Amino acid sequence: MTKPHLLLVEDEPAIRTPLKRFLEREGFRITDVGDAKAARDALDKGAFALAILDIMLPGEDGLSLARAIRAGGELPILFLSARAEDIDRIVGLEMGADDYLTKPFNPRELLARIKAILRRAEPNGPVEGDDHVYRFGPFKLDSSAQTLSRDGDAIALTGGDYRLLLCMVERAGRTLSRDQLLDLTKGRQADPFDRAIDNAVMRLRKKLGEDGPELIKTVHGLGYSFAGKVETA
């Protein structure tokens, strides 16, 4: 079985070296670098299953590097940061990162989050379900091609956008709590200040345009509900 190849971008050797050894013992192949330039070189030369990015890097920071990664494709991203402020987490998740972990962290928690991201990235991951075409209003969501279109025009979605929309469309009419949505789409539970789902919903509504607020309803005190009439092919 091929070992998943992870890119670890961390400028502190005291963190990077033992973390690399730990993840290698857990069955991963690790390329570790200390700055964004070296990370870009590694990305040009190799194929990776996941990028683990420290936000505070010398020179170009992790957010800028993630922006470049997102512009070039859908490589999953997990942020590491010594800063616990909500704004840093929100910015990272709004950029399309798959997860965010604050230092100091337990390596076992990092391992669990890595495995959850990789499971979701698999073609037959737990969120995707059977292949269907879902139609609601002028929209068509194709779970085989993982694409969304409106009246035939493609709408660009990140991997996180797609997973959230599919999760809600498959459960149309049901109220889903933030904890449920986070567990279904990101494979983890929310902490008391976690706004990942709120920001993901806001981003997805914008992608859906003027229909967004009518399709994705806020159920105050409970969570969100997909209100569109869904037909399945």
Side-chain angles (χ1 to χ4, degrees), residues 135-137 169 172-173 214-217 225-231:
R135 298 182 184 275
F136 43 98
V169 166
E214 293 301 316
L215 288 171
I216 302 176
K217 295 285 191 180
S225 175
F226 191 84
K229 181 180 178 182
V230 179
E231 298 178 351

Side-chain angles (χ1 to χ4, degrees), residues 9 11 34-38 40 54-67 83:
V9 188
D11 65 313
D35 57 45
K37 182 179 184 303
R40 287 176 180 269
D54 184 19
I55 289 182
M56 299 295 290
L57 294 171
E60 182 183 5
D61 66 20
L63 292 174
S64 175
L65 177 59
R67 213 172 278 118
R83 301 190 301 193

Side-chain angles (χ1 to χ4, degrees), residues 8 15-25 30 32:
L8 173 61
I15 296 175
R16 186 176 73 244
T17 300
L19 191 54
K20 176 183 180 180
R21 290 172 181 163
F22 170 76
L23 292 173
E24 286 176 337
R25 288 197 301 271
I30 306 298
D32 65 307

Side-chain angles (χ1 to χ4, degrees), residues 137-151:
F139 297 95
K140 181 178 79 170
L141 180 67
D142 187 332
S143 69
S144 176
Q146 298 189 7
T147 57
L148 175 69
S149 60
R150 177 182 180 134
D151 293 327

Side-chain angles (χ1 to χ4, degrees), residues 39-62:
R40 287 176 180 269
D41 291 341
L43 288 164
D44 287 341
K45 296 174 183 176
F48 297 93
L50 170 69
I52 304 170
L53 309 181
D54 184 19
I55 289 182
M56 299 295 290
L57 294 171
E60 182 183 5
D61 66 20

